[in-house]
């Protein structure tokens, strides 16, 4: 049989106006035989056309945000949240801010451009820059604060007389109108909007006069201090807040990246949006200058129009077919939001103004952004995206969901125990935790009397982002030791790399996995000593880990629960559902961020607290789901327990995804334990019931401890950084030992 073709790597850097279109097009028509990666320093892209409206208060922030996480997933692209810091075209490698380099075969840049003049004295400290545009939208609150604290007679100053400066001046004036704050626009040019027709500038000047906006032309700002602007003329001018909108410059790191740049530092492209002299490097939007049209302004409309051509050309380059020429539009419909429900529109030298122009602008902007907002603010699929979300019901999940069902494991262990009990540890006095108990880890005493706790945990990669997979696998493996109260010390890596990938690709994957794991191990005080790799059908990652414990009495056992215990869960549930949602493009960026932050939160502090508390039982929640592990505690401790569904902490997004019927592939097996539970009638209909069977990757601990200490224990967990830790039930004496599920 022929091995599948090795996949080439297409890397998109930046989630700008052109790349969102590339992603959407690849979602609609997949790019075969290419693995796609999107590198973005932010989870969301901002549609700049609506930013002035946000400033004026006519939009909410989420209305102009494009969540890159579902968009990338729909395009089959792995999403790497990091900043690119250079490109080595000879090695075909991209270096990143906080993780190992990424290799590419084809790379495309659409990463905007930083604000010019940021190095002038005081600009970084005292002015609000309008690029990166997301920084502007994040910082609006700080402008309000600054204005409130400033000198009452001083104006808010907008520096820059281009379209951005004009819109910001009008929209800031609208934002602050009720406070009677003055707004002044200062520009170095002798007229406003130097790249637009004179009639537009005249219309803007007239509109400024009627709104009391002061326009100062021919003055260059050379410095900013807390309350004053320094001008080239030597004069100083008071202010109570500065917006810096003076145009853009090329990203600094282009110069170190073997890329051809123009005098402004922007990468030079030919008419196929290909970087000059590099057949496999493309660029679009503000970061690039078209060699044939250096005069084109840096405006989102060009990035938007370049998007479809870029998508076609990336596909053509991958398939080695002919590229398309990009012809820039000769003029475009310029629409300036005046912040008060009116706008000025201009094309081919004609100027129109009024409320109808603003209505037109709103309609155009809303129609554009709808094309890229796959999920609404509640995480529901937007109607226009439904077709793209036809989900693959057969998709098997990675992470801890990719396990042998608990029942198969139990049967296999019973068979072995029946045939050879002597070698399972129960007959060996040095074994403290062995197969007969099947706790989270094994523990034994060495000949010198020390107690060693050991575990191994391996899972199929749940994401194409190998760095994150390495981080989570490391945290997941040592969690078994924490669940037993041990301090982790050493780790050995166990990795299977996909046979269908090239050695170069697998080497890069290995580096990413180990780099991710090392970050976690270093934080947890664990030394990675070695490991073993093998070739298999897909990537799986795991670690064999060992740790120590001072006294046998410190071992946290799962069979030590007693009547009167409260049951505490240290992390919210939902990782199985959310990991699946992430692969299907159904996870919002904020849900994904909460998911990763939970999986990467150490169970160490909770375990240390449990060891200190004494008289506790513990286990960690794994791929078998909460119900299975709690049932194990009940059965092995010989006590009954009640679990309250209404008290279960859930990760954001989990409830609505589950209500939509999303279930991990491990869910059917995990829910078989339901037959052993006593589920109250009311609980059977409860929407949270399915989360009991959701497989958890790097899940929390269940800790059983005396009721009287539970409240204080949970408060301490909150202080230690487990915000969702909660008391979820209690243990009691009743025969036979039963796990009851109540609402
Ligand atoms: C207030 C204001 C209003 C504007 N209004 C309009 C308008 O109405 N019409 C118009 O045509 N233009 C407008 N513009 C200009 C417009 O914002 C830009 O021209 C446009 O955003 C450029 O788009 P882009 O796709 O090149 O990059 P961007 O939209 O800037 O996107 C770049 C993306 O790349 C990411 N990124 C950056 N560096 C890295 C890195 N090293 N690694 C990974 N990711 C990175 C960024 O976080 C960002 O998500 C306005 C500008 C301002 C300031």
């Amino acid at each position: 049989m022929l091995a599948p073709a090795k996949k080439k790597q297409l890397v998109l850097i930046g989630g700008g106006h052109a790349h969102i279109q590339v992603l959407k097009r690849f979602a609609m028509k997949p790019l075969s035989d290419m693995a796609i990666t999107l590198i973005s320093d932010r989870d969301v892209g901002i549609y700049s056309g609506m930013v002035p409206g946000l400033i004026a208060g006519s939009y909410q922030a989420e209305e102009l945000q494009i969540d890159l996480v579902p968009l990338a997933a729909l395009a089959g692209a792995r999403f790497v949240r990091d900043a690119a810091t250079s490109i080595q075209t000879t090695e075909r490698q991209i270096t990143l801010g906080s993780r190992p380099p990424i290799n590419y075969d084809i790379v495309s840049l659409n990463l905007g451009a930083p604000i010019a003049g940021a190095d002038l004295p005081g600009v970084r400290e005292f002015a609000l820059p309008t690029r990166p545009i997301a920084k502007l939208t994040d910082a609006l609150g700080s402008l309000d604060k600054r204005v409130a604290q400033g000198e009452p007679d001083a104006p808010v100053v907008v520096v820059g007389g281009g379209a951005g400066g004009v819109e910001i001046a009008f929209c800031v004036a609208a934002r602050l109108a009720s406070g009677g704050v003055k707004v002044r626009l200062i520009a170095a040019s002798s007229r406003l909007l130097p790249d637009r027709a004179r009639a537009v500038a005249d219309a803007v000047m007239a509109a400024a006069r009627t709104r009391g906006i002061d326009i100062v032309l021919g003055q260059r700002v050379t410095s900013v201090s807390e309350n004053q602007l320094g001008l080239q003329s030597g004069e100083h001018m008071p202010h109570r807040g500065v917006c810096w909108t003076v145009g853009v410059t090329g990203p600094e790191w282009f110069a170190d990246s073997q890329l051809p740049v123009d005098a402004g530092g922007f990468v030079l492209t030919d008419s196929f949006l290909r970087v000059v002299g590099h057949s496999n490097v493309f660029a679009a939007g503000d970061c690039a200058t078209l060699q044939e049209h250096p005069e084109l302004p840096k405006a989102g409309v060009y990035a938007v129009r370049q998007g479809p051509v870029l998508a076609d050309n990336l596909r053509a380059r991958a398939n080695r077919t002919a590229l398309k020429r990009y012809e820039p539009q000769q003029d475009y419909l310029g629409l300036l939001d005046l912040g008060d429900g009116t706008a000025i529109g201009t094309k081919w030298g004609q100027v129109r103004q009024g409320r109808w122009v603003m209505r037109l602008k709103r309609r155009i902007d809303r129609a554009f952004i709808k094309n890229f907002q796959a999920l609404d603010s509640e995480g529901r699929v937007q109607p226009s995206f439904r077709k793209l979300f036809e989900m693959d019901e057969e998709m098997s999940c990675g992470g801890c969901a990719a396990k042998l069902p608990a029942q198969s494991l139990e049967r296999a262990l019973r068979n072995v125990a029946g045939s050879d009990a002597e070698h399972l540890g129960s007959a060996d006095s040095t074994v403290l935790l062995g197969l007969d108990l099947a706790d989270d880890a094994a523990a034994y005493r060495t000949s010198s009397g020390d107690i060693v706790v050991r575990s191994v945990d391996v899972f199929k990669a749940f994401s194409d982002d190998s760095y994150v997979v390495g981080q989570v696998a490391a945290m997941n493996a040592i969690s078994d030791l924490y669940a037993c109260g041990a301090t982790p010390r050493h780790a050995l890596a166990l990795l299977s790399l996909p046979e269908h990938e090239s050695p170069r690709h697998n080497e890069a994957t290995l580096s990413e996995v180990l780099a991710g794991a090392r970050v976690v191990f270093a934080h947890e005080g664990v030394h990675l000593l070695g490991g073993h790799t093998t070739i298999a059908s897909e990537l799986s990652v795991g670690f064999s880990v060992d740790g120590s414990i001072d006294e046998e009495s410190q071992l946290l056992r799962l069979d030590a629960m007693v009547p009167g215990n409260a049951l505490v869960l240290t992390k919210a549930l939902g990782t199985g559902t959310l990991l699946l949602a992430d692969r299907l493009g159904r996870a919002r960026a904020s849900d994904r961020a909460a998911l990763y932050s939970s999986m990467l939160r150490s169970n160490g502090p909770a375990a240390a607290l449990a060891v200190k508390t004494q008289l506790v039982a513990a286990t960690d929640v794994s791929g078998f789901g909460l119900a299975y592990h709690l049932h194990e505690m009940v059965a092995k401790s010989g006590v009954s327990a009640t679990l309250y569904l209404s008290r279960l902490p859930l990760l954001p997004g989990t409830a609505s995804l589950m209500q939509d019927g999303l279930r991990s592939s491990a869910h059917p097996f995990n829910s078989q334990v339901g037959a052993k539970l006593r589920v109250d009638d009311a609980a059977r209909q409860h929407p949270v019931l399915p989360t009991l069977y959701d497989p958890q990757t790097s899940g929390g601990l269940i800790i059983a401890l005396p009721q009287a200490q539970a409240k204080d224990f949970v408060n301490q967990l909150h202080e230690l950084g487990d915000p969702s830790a909660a008391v979820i039930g209690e243990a009691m004496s009743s025969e036979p030992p039963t796990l009851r599920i109540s609402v």
Side-chain angles (χ1 to χ4, degrees), residues 14-17 41 48-49 83-84 110-112 131 133 167-168 285-286 299-301 303:
H17 293 66
D41 58 357
S48 58
N110 176 215
L111 42 90
R131 306 290 183 91
I133 209 146
E167 284 195 294
I168 288 187
D286 280 8
V301 285

Side-chain angles (χ1 to χ4, degrees), residues 13-18 39-42 44-46 48-49 51-52 82-84 110-113 130-131 133 136 164 167-168 245 253 284-287 298-301 303 335 361:
I13 306 179
H17 293 66
I39 300 172
S40 173
D41 58 357
R42 296 199 145 236
V44 292
I46 305 285
S48 58
V51 170
D82 208 339
N110 176 215
L111 42 90
T130 47
R131 306 290 183 91
I133 209 146
L136 168 68
E167 284 195 294
I168 288 187
T245 321
W253 58 268
D286 280 8
C287 67
K298 302 292 181 203
V301 285
L335 291 162
K361 175 166 170 53

